[in-house]
Amino acid sequence: MNSPLPSGATIGILGGGQLGRMLSVAAARLGFKTHVFEPGSDAPAGHVAQTVTTAAYDDAGALERFAQSVSVVTYEFENIPTEALDIIEKTVPIRPGREALRVSQDRLTEKNFLQDLGLQVAPYAEVSDMGSLEQAIAKTGIPAILKTRRFGYDGKGQARLSSADDATGALSDMAGQPAVLEGFVNFSHEVSVIAARSALGEVACFDPGENVHRDGILHTTTVPARLSSAQRTDAVLLAARILNALDYVGVMGVELFVTPQGLIVNEIAPRVHNSGHWTQNGCAVDQFEQHIRAVAGWPLGDGTRHSDVVMENLIGDDMDKVPALAREAGAALHLYGKSETKKGRKMGHVNRVTG
Ligand code: AMP
């Protein structure tokens, strides 16, 4: 796929959650159709896509039919089984490409990749048993965080070690899964850069946002973030270095810790990112359209921030606030159409335009 996809073409999306939903809406605004592949029923993205396939990621026939019906495939989450990607890639390109998925599916591979690029990461070491955990503690010091190498999100699959006595308990929390021990970073605050790279290699970054987490889940993103102009430049340059190294096509979320010693990369997500939702009401072209443009081989759009925004996630019972939010001046509501409200479940978000 070398030439830009014409408006009217169909883009395949793996994953039918809220990110897939907002990607579908952005695609529709540019005249594209979307085909969503999702194992669960009543998927939020399915409500707004032209076509939905409800099938498991090991259903080879369904994957083949899906691939044949689209011009390019993208995804809303990084933990797609490799075998499913192999089947799809026989028929259509996957954007962002396989290397970004390989690197970001495994925290150890990701840390090695970032360190090899010359970027700062927390001190870390591989952990598979008590012996390697003890060696890892000697390297990272305490406090530290033990994280599963794979399938962690929103703070899941993590155990904090406040003293060496916590080692046994933390290791048993990993339930035998390979893990990484990370030294605790004493950061002043957390920011993220949402960066985009087109098929032609042009890179554009949205203004960094400042993130506050609650119970391991993103609570708010505020733009502009508290950063000096030197830190802002660093953030953009390091994001560009990551994207170029991966020959990346699409939008990526790069999470950073701000410390007196500089910016430390926490993790990268090869997809649109919750901390980039503010762009929907802060920029002419938001992260979802930017991603669709990139995967369709179009030039990147203008992601300059025209307004200050505070994005707040609506999680679980926060949905009770919707009637009041619907009346609030300057508040843009984005609801995901999820039929069941559950504790800890992301139900929507509100972007408050603050200046
Ligand atoms: P993660 O799932 O790795 O993004 O971690 C979720 C949250 O835990 C981060 O956003 C931080 O607030 C915190 N955290 C993760 N790793 C570290 C670390 N090495 N030092 C301090 N805080 C951390």
Side-chain angles (χ1 to χ4, degrees), residues 107 145 147 158 182-185 187 190 213 266-267:
R107 280 190 197 274
I145 308 182
K147 302 181 179 180
Q158 301 194 3
E182 276 183 39
F184 200 81
V185 177
F187 55 82
E190 295 182 74
H213 294 85
N266 173 29
E267 63 180 6

Side-chain angles (χ1 to χ4, degrees), residues 35 37 53 55 59-70 87 91:
H35 183 166
F37 190 103
T53 292
D59 184 337
L63 287 165
E64 273 160 25
R65 286 189 295 278
F66 167 72
Q68 276 155 13
S69 74
V70 301
I87 293 170
T91 306

